[in-house]
Amino acid sequence: MLHPSFLTLLFVAPLFATPASQPAMPDDRRMDWWRQARFGMFIHWGIYSVPAGEWKGKTVDGPSEWIMHTAQIPIAEYEPLAARFNPKHFDAAKIVGLARTAGMKYLVITSKHHDGFCMWDAKETEWDVFGASPFHRDVMREMSDECRKQGIRFGVYYSIMDWRHPDARGENFPKYAEYLRGQVTELIENYSPDILWFDGEWIEEWTPALGDDLYALCRELKPDIIVNNRVGKGRVGMGPSKTSAGDFGTPEQEIPARGIPGYDWETCMTFNDSWGYKTADHNWKSSERIIQMLADIASKGGNFLLNIGPTSDGEVPAESIERLEEVGEWMKVNGDSIYATGPSPFGRLSWGRCTTAPGVLYLHVFSTISPDSMLVVPGLRNEVLRAAPLEAPATVLPTSRQGDDLLVATGPYARSGADLVLRLEIAGAPDVIEVPPTTIRADGEGVLQLRADDATLIGDRVQTQIQGGQTDIGFWTSPEDFARWEVDAAGRYSVELDLACQPANAGGEAIIRVGGSECRITVPDTGSWTQFRTVKAGTISVQAPGPVLVVVAPGEGFTGALMNLREVRLIPER
Ligand code: H79
């Protein structure tokens, strides 16, 4: 059975996605620096870096900062970890310097995570670096001072949920709420953060009224402070966020398919899988992927808060340092295409993303263009005054027109890389018409190739990504999202999919549907999200010739993420 909303969507959804529009955000000067910054560093650091994801000789699933919960460690057994927290190599100057090198403009560091341990000299508790650990140094002091010195904006993360405080659950919660307000007051008065980043607001004791009061307290103590939406209860699940109290939405570990029109937002994401340092976690994202995600987020009007998890010795993992330096190299050349830019005027671009500045379009080319082919900018009607690669601003690239499309000859710059940025100077505001997806026709062999680039994606989460120069459909994290293609087909076809799926998400069902005919696959484990494999799905038949829609949608047993889908092929049966 198909999900009922799937059928509704099929009838009411527009034929193609509308372009991300310029968010109608409140005219609030206070947000200016944050909107221009675009790129920040998240730091998860606490005594959970001591076990680093291991308990009683076993690796514990999930992020390391959750170990107390996940491994069900009693408070009495968790507390002694503090005595082992003595990070001799912690050097605030080095960490802030690393953020600067990467081209980040702000950072947000955990002052207290869910375990309640305080990384400053907290007045109200001894459960802090001074009272419970041999590390008698005020991490918030050192970090805030260093941020000021190096011109990086300073943000403080604070967890509302607290697993250790005796009043943080149940009827004594009002007492805990006073403790929390006291701590937040102390943090703002002592370290004057530019951002307060709350988390753990989902516990039932936390109410919208408490959120409103806490937001008011922050603004009262520091009028131009910026506070995330998790101060209140306005978040929907863990996903893309609406805002109630709070200044910006906080999608976690995901990039909303079309941004969050009308709201400021920031995607926070881990470098590997865990937020806190975890010895067994080697699943590092490449610098290429980080750069593309940054451009993707900027093209949708958001910020990117990228996490590091220092060790219990105070060191930043070498894998993070290496990648941040590579991202920094790219930012040095291409930063103008990220900082203070506006979102894309295009609905979708098969080769990458677009960001904007007054009179300028930045084309972010993720996929490989061969030296003798042209980059097609679909539906751009403006006169182009000048086109040049950001890495070689003196070079003029020839442009021409083909109907409503603009063509750019990238010549020697047609090389693959993380993101080749072309700067187009245009006359007037962007004038873009939506080019509808073309009907896909059979090739010489009668095969219909339904590529990710040509799909129309319906839903809030699902979106294309470019990995290793090739596009796939990913972020398929809602069971209601689907992909479709219009094809000109007739007869019986066997169906093949090129897909990737990591072990943890394998086993969900995907349905391939044309008219009344359908076939299904159980998505196999291909090893990882980037290892693609061809899977045969069975046969379908199309009764009458003419344009029909081919739909791929999640079926039974949704696993949290369906698959990464590169291509569907319909091969005629003889
Ligand atoms: O601080 C980072 C995370 O620790 C925190 N927010 C970011 C910024 C966060 N809290 N909750 N979540 C993220 C999502 C919750 C996931 C859960 Fe689980 C699923 C909690 C219990 C089951 C993840 C998996 C944590 C333990 C197992």
Side-chain angles (χ1 to χ4, degrees):
M1 247 321 273
L2 286 176
H3 193 281
S5 65
F6 167 79
L7 292 170
T8 324
L9 266 170
L10 199 57
F11 293 111
V12 300
L15 211 84
F16 42 87
T18 48
S21 55
Q22 180 81 45
M25 272 157 337
D27 177 24
D28 191 340
R29 299 294 95 190
R30 180 173 58 101
M31 298 296 293
D32 280 353
W33 75 262
W34 188 90
R35 288 175 185 154
Q36 288 162 19
R38 285 284 177 258
F39 194 24
M41 175 182 273
F42 215 172
I43 305 174
H44 274 71
W45 199 37
I47 60 170
Y48 39 80
S49 63
V50 172
E54 267 156 52
W55 197 249
K56 305 204 164 145
K58 287 210 178 78
T59 298
V60 179
D61 279 350
S64 76
E65 75 283 359
W66 272 75
I67 197 166
M68 182 175 171
H69 169 94
T70 321
Q72 300 184 5
I73 305 170
I75 290 173
E77 278 183 59
Y78 190 82
E79 278 178 345
L81 290 174
R84 291 163 53 199
F85 185 71
N86 197 10
K88 292 247 165 46
H89 291 133
F90 169 64
D91 180 352
K94 233 164 116 178
I95 296 180
V96 176
L98 183 62
R100 258 170 58 116
T101 302
M104 293 158 158
K105 299 292 191 190
Y106 62 105
L107 64 77
V108 178
I109 181 167
T110 46
S111 65
K112 182 194 95 164
H113 205 268
H114 307 333
D115 64 6
F117 187 80
C118 298
M119 297 291 278
W120 79 98
D121 191 4
K123 241 187 325 215
E124 296 179 85
T125 181
E126 288 298 301
W127 184 230
D128 69 356
V129 267
F130 285 83
S133 88
F135 187 58
H136 294 136
R137 280 163 63 185
D138 185 334
V139 176
M140 293 303 118
R141 168 73 58 216
E142 292 183 30
M143 287 298 288
S144 58
D145 284 354
E146 199 53 47
C147 280
R148 252 134 243 148
K149 227 195 230 161
Q150 297 198 36
I152 295 284
R153 296 278 188 156
F154 177 64
V156 166
Y157 169 108
Y158 186 90
S159 171
I160 290 168
M161 178 164 77
D162 190 317
W163 294 327
R164 184 180 168 281
H165 196 290
D167 300 324
R169 271 275 145 118
E171 59 178 11
N172 285 337
F173 196 78
K175 258 179 85 186
Y176 169 72
E178 276 315 302
Y179 167 87
L180 180 158
R181 288 172 62 90
Q183 289 213 312
V184 170
T185 302
E186 195 181 324
L187 286 165
I188 295 176
E189 284 179 344
N190 290 350
Y191 312 110
S192 191
D194 299 299
I195 302 168
L196 252 169
W197 212 106
F198 291 103
D199 199 6
E201 86 294 2
W202 54 81
I203 53 172
E204 62 180 313
E205 289 85 350
W206 195 249
T207 61
L210 284 168
D212 289 346
D213 288 354
L214 183 57
Y215 181 80
L217 176 71
C218 295
R219 291 292 302 278
E220 189 185 302
L221 291 167
K222 181 165 176 167
D224 58 356
I225 200 167
I226 295 173
V227 181
N228 72 337
N229 67 334
R230 299 188 191 185
V231 67
K233 303 286 274 192
R235 196 149 65 112
V236 182
M238 292 304 294
S241 320
K242 289 184 190 165
T243 42
S244 50
D247 298 314
F248 63 93
T250 51
E252 179 167 328
Q253 302 286 38
E254 68 177 315
I255 302 171
R258 279 172 293 282
I260 309 179
Y263 295 105
D264 287 299
W265 60 278
E266 171 192 73
T267 281
C268 57
M269 203 174 278
T270 48
F271 232 125
N272 44 1
D273 291 326
S274 179
W275 298 90
Y277 177 68
K278 183 172 180 177
T279 340
D281 186 351
H282 305 293
N283 193 21
W284 302 96
K285 294 173 186 71
S286 66
S287 45
E288 180 173 305
R289 200 154 157 58
I290 297 291
I291 291 166
Q292 291 182 356
M293 289 202 279
L294 177 58
D296 184 21
I297 289 167
S299 80
K300 295 166 180 171
N303 279 12
F304 190 19
L305 190 64
L306 176 62
N307 183 72
I308 60 163
T311 68
S312 61
D313 212 16
E315 303 273 18
V316 179
E319 292 88 344
S320 299
I321 296 179
E322 186 193 322
R323 288 161 176 78
L324 286 171
E325 285 172 348
E326 285 167 7
V327 172
E329 288 297 310
W330 183 89
M331 284 294 275
K332 243 192 264 164
V333 174
N334 297 292
D336 284 351
S337 70
I338 300 291
Y339 303 127
T341 55
S344 172
F346 299 97
R348 74 181 162 169
L349 295 167
S350 63
W351 38 259
R353 298 291 184 270
C354 175
T355 52
T356 54
V360 174
L361 294 181
Y362 293 105
L363 309 180
H364 296 259
V365 185
F366 298 170
S367 58
T368 315
I369 328 163
S370 71
D372 50 357
S373 66
M374 300 272 189
L375 183 76
V376 181
V377 188
L380 178 66
R381 298 198 284 192
N382 297 73
E383 181 194 346
V384 174
L385 307 174
R386 188 186 163 82
L390 259 190
E391 64 183 46
T395 308
V396 175
L397 301 176
T399 60
S400 53
R401 307 217 61 96
Q402 187 179 66
D404 285 322
D405 300 341
L406 176 84
L407 306 181
V408 186
T410 54
Y413 296 95
R415 57 117 175 87
S416 84
D419 178 3
L420 169 71
V421 182
L422 306 180
R423 184 177 185 279
L424 292 192
E425 268 174 51
I426 56 171
D431 178 13
V432 175
I433 57 151
E434 189 71 23
V435 180
T438 48
T439 304
I440 294 159
R441 289 169 213 290
D443 64 15
E445 313 278 272
V447 176
L448 289 141
Q449 267 187 302
L450 317 186
R451 292 173 310 143
D453 275 339
D454 300 319
T456 298
L457 302 179
I458 309 291
D460 289 337
R461 309 278 179 83
V462 66
Q463 57 195 292
T464 58
Q465 56 188 340
I466 300 175
Q467 312 192 76
Q470 275 190 277
T471 309
D472 62 74
I473 300 167
F475 296 91
W476 213 324
T477 54
S478 163
E480 311 205 339
D481 290 3
F482 60 94
R484 71 164 187 236
W485 294 260
E486 193 182 275
V487 304
D488 197 352
R492 271 186 82 76
Y493 296 88
S494 57
V495 180
E496 284 181 6
L497 293 83
D498 293 341
L499 61 86
C501 186
Q502 71 173 13
N505 298 96
E509 187 184 50
I511 306 172
I512 303 92
R513 211 163 152 265
V514 187
S517 180
E518 65 174 46
C519 55
R520 291 158 188 258
I521 57 160
T522 300
V523 175
D525 161 18
T526 65
S528 76
W529 286 125
T530 52
Q531 273 173 273
F532 285 81
R533 191 211 284 176
T534 299
V535 176
K536 294 199 191 310
T539 61
I540 51 166
S541 57
V542 182
Q543 302 302 341
V548 284
L549 290 179
V550 176
V551 172
V552 178
E556 302 287 319
F558 189 70
T559 61
L562 184 63
M563 61 179 158
N564 285 347
L565 178 61
R566 207 175 246 175
E567 183 173 294
V568 179
R569 277 182 303 283
L570 307 186
I571 304 160
E573 293 206 325
R574 309 179 199 273

PDB file of all heavy atoms in Angstrom, residues 386-389 392-398:
ATOM      1  N   ARG A 386      30.429  40.417 -17.804  1.00  0.00           N
ATOM      2  CA  ARG A 386      31.752  39.823 -17.687  1.00  0.00           C
ATOM      3  C   ARG A 386      31.629  38.465 -17.006  1.00  0.00           C
ATOM      4  O   ARG A 386      30.839  38.289 -16.079  1.00  0.00           O
ATOM      5  CB  ARG A 386      32.614  40.749 -16.826  1.00  0.00           C
ATOM      6  CG  ARG A 386      34.062  40.372 -16.761  1.00  0.00           C
ATOM      7  CD  ARG A 386      34.792  41.274 -15.750  1.00  0.00           C
ATOM      8  NE  ARG A 386      36.077  40.655 -15.405  1.00  0.00           N
ATOM      9  CZ  ARG A 386      37.162  40.764 -16.165  1.00  0.00           C
ATOM     10  NH1 ARG A 386      37.140  41.473 -17.262  1.00  0.00           N
ATOM     11  NH2 ARG A 386      38.289  40.165 -15.815  1.00  0.00           N
ATOM     12  N   ALA A 387      32.396  37.492 -17.456  1.00  0.00           N
ATOM     13  CA  ALA A 387      32.433  36.173 -16.808  1.00  0.00           C
ATOM     14  C   ALA A 387      33.882  35.789 -16.591  1.00  0.00           C
ATOM     15  O   ALA A 387      34.692  35.868 -17.515  1.00  0.00           O
ATOM     16  CB  ALA A 387      31.737  35.133 -17.685  1.00  0.00           C
ATOM     17  N   ALA A 388      34.229  35.397 -15.370  1.00  0.00           N
ATOM     18  CA  ALA A 388      35.618  35.026 -15.053  1.00  0.00           C
ATOM     19  C   ALA A 388      35.650  34.030 -13.906  1.00  0.00           C
ATOM     20  O   ALA A 388      34.793  34.069 -13.033  1.00  0.00           O
ATOM     21  CB  ALA A 388      36.412  36.274 -14.668  1.00  0.00           C
ATOM     22  N   PRO A 389      36.625  33.122 -13.908  1.00  0.00           N
ATOM     23  CA  PRO A 389      36.778  32.249 -12.739  1.00  0.00           C
ATOM     24  C   PRO A 389      37.294  33.081 -11.567  1.00  0.00           C
ATOM     25  O   PRO A 389      38.129  33.958 -11.779  1.00  0.00           O
ATOM     26  CB  PRO A 389      37.851  31.239 -13.173  1.00  0.00           C
ATOM     27  CG  PRO A 389      38.165  31.523 -14.604  1.00  0.00           C
ATOM     28  CD  PRO A 389      37.657  32.880 -14.934  1.00  0.00           C
ATOM     29  N   ALA A 392      40.982  33.079 -11.248  1.00  0.00           N
ATOM     30  CA  ALA A 392      41.762  33.808 -12.261  1.00  0.00           C
ATOM     31  C   ALA A 392      40.931  34.985 -12.740  1.00  0.00           C
ATOM     32  O   ALA A 392      40.426  35.006 -13.861  1.00  0.00           O
ATOM     33  CB  ALA A 392      42.110  32.885 -13.437  1.00  0.00           C
ATOM     34  N   PRO A 393      40.777  35.999 -11.888  1.00  0.00           N
ATOM     35  CA  PRO A 393      39.827  37.079 -12.167  1.00  0.00           C
ATOM     36  C   PRO A 393      40.134  37.868 -13.439  1.00  0.00           C
ATOM     37  O   PRO A 393      39.242  38.513 -13.990  1.00  0.00           O
ATOM     38  CB  PRO A 393      39.921  37.981 -10.932  1.00  0.00           C
ATOM     39  CG  PRO A 393      40.943  37.416 -10.034  1.00  0.00           C
ATOM     40  CD  PRO A 393      41.459  36.150 -10.599  1.00  0.00           C
ATOM     41  N   ALA A 394      41.374  37.821 -13.922  1.00  0.00           N
ATOM     42  CA  ALA A 394      41.717  38.592 -15.121  1.00  0.00           C
ATOM     43  C   ALA A 394      41.285  37.882 -16.406  1.00  0.00           C
ATOM     44  O   ALA A 394      41.252  38.478 -17.477  1.00  0.00           O
ATOM     45  CB  ALA A 394      43.214  38.861 -15.146  1.00  0.00           C
ATOM     46  N   THR A 395      40.963  36.599 -16.305  1.00  0.00           N
ATOM     47  CA  THR A 395      40.570  35.828 -17.484  1.00  0.00           C
ATOM     48  C   THR A 395      39.127  36.133 -17.862  1.00  0.00           C
ATOM     49  O   THR A 395      38.255  36.146 -17.000  1.00  0.00           O
ATOM     50  CB  THR A 395      40.651  34.317 -17.167  1.00  0.00           C
ATOM     51  OG1 THR A 395      41.936  34.053 -16.644  1.00  0.00           O
ATOM     52  CG2 THR A 395      40.376  33.476 -18.389  1.00  0.00           C
ATOM     53  N   VAL A 396      38.877  36.398 -19.131  1.00  0.00           N
ATOM     54  CA  VAL A 396      37.504  36.600 -19.564  1.00  0.00           C
ATOM     55  C   VAL A 396      37.014  35.339 -20.270  1.00  0.00           C
ATOM     56  O   VAL A 396      37.640  34.869 -21.215  1.00  0.00           O
ATOM     57  CB  VAL A 396      37.378  37.818 -20.502  1.00  0.00           C
ATOM     58  CG1 VAL A 396      35.956  37.928 -21.047  1.00  0.00           C
ATOM     59  CG2 VAL A 396      37.765  39.090 -19.763  1.00  0.00           C
ATOM     60  N   LEU A 397      35.915  34.783 -19.792  1.00  0.00           N
ATOM     61  CA  LEU A 397      35.361  33.578 -20.416  1.00  0.00           C
ATOM     62  C   LEU A 397      34.267  33.980 -21.408  1.00  0.00           C
ATOM     63  O   LEU A 397      33.387  34.766 -21.062  1.00  0.00           O
ATOM     64  CB  LEU A 397      34.768  32.645 -19.352  1.00  0.00           C
ATOM     65  CG  LEU A 397      35.717  32.150 -18.259  1.00  0.00           C
ATOM     66  CD1 LEU A 397      34.958  31.318 -17.233  1.00  0.00           C
ATOM     67  CD2 LEU A 397      36.869  31.345 -18.860  1.00  0.00           C
ATOM     68  N   PRO A 398      34.321  33.465 -22.633  1.00  0.00           N
ATOM     69  CA  PRO A 398      33.299  33.813 -23.626  1.00  0.00           C
ATOM     70  C   PRO A 398      31.925  33.262 -23.232  1.00  0.00           C
ATOM     71  O   PRO A 398      31.819  32.143 -22.738  1.00  0.00           O
ATOM     72  CB  PRO A 398      33.788  33.112 -24.905  1.00  0.00           C
ATOM     73  CG  PRO A 398      35.190  32.702 -24.635  1.00  0.00           C
ATOM     74  CD  PRO A 398      35.333  32.563 -23.163  1.00  0.00           C
TER      75      PRO A 398
END
